[in-house]
Amino acid sequence: MINWVNADKPIAQLILAHGAGAGMDSDFMVTMANNLVKLGVTVGLFDFEYMQQAKLEGKRRPPQRAPKLLAYFESILAEVDANLPLFIGGKSMGGRMASMLACEQSVKGVIAFGYPFHPPGKPEKLRIEHFPDLKAPLAIIQGERDTFGKKDEVESYPVCDNVRTFWIPDGDHSLVPRKASGLTQLQNWQTAAEIASQFIAKQL
């Protein structure tokens, strides 16, 4: 079930999956959707099944395994507007699932906010093995201080030509900067939305 946030005259639609620990109603997801709508992109938000269950029970649940997440994400795509160019993406785990789905499904592009390149503190456990199989370009919008993939680490990875990383100044895994940086969370989230909308426009 997609929760649509509609732009007035949309140039495209972006189905945005949430991260592992917070659902479609998190501050990040809601703010990003609202920012993108103002930039002409209709956004579809949804909760994976484990998150729906967690909300029903009022307690945290771990994510399901990737095959179940991907099957549900794929079923969600049946609800999209056939007349609008389709992009998929997400925050952290949701962005990773979108990139994996784009190895099977035909979409215009993929946008990952805070891609989980590896678990924090485990840089050897890289999660980029499927990148060569992507059928669409992938834009990764990453905080420079992201413990799931910092700038100096990511720039050393052998990524393919259709994967591009855009850096958010002093951002953490949720693209949030430190106060000392002189930037605010909302500024960084607005910057991320602008990068995403420019990427979308470029693929059309």
Side-chain angles (χ1 to χ4, degrees), residues 36-55:
L36 283 163
V37 160
K38 288 174 193 154
L39 295 166
V41 180
T42 283
V43 180
L45 303 174
F46 70 94
D47 279 332
F48 286 110
E49 291 166 298
Y50 81 92
M51 186 59 69
Q52 296 171 25
Q53 196 66 34
K55 288 178 178 179

Side-chain angles (χ1 to χ4, degrees), residues 29-104:
M29 297 294 287
V30 171
T31 304
M32 194 55 64
N34 288 331
N35 286 352
L36 283 163
V37 160
K38 288 174 193 154
L39 295 166
V41 180
T42 283
V43 180
L45 303 174
F46 70 94
D47 279 332
F48 286 110
E49 291 166 298
Y50 81 92
M51 186 59 69
Q52 296 171 25
Q53 196 66 34
K55 288 178 178 179
L56 277 174
E57 295 170 358
K59 60 183 183 187
R60 288 174 74 90
R61 292 177 72 97
Q64 293 150 298
R65 306 291 292 174
K68 284 214 158 166
L69 297 173
L70 289 168
Y72 190 74
F73 202 152
E74 190 171 358
S75 75
I76 283 289
L77 298 187
E79 296 179 45
V80 302
D81 182 344
N83 299 312
L84 272 179
L86 175 62
F87 291 77
I88 59 175
K91 180 181 191 303
S92 189
M93 177 197 79
R96 182 179 172 225
M97 291 303 120
S99 69
M100 291 169 76
L101 194 56
C103 296
E104 311 291 333

Side-chain angles (χ1 to χ4, degrees), residues 143-145 168-172 175-183 188:
E144 291 177 342
R145 298 183 297 115
I168 299 296
D170 205 59
D172 64 8
L175 314 181
V176 177
R178 292 169 293 195
K179 277 202 173 118
S181 70
L183 296 162
N188 270 10

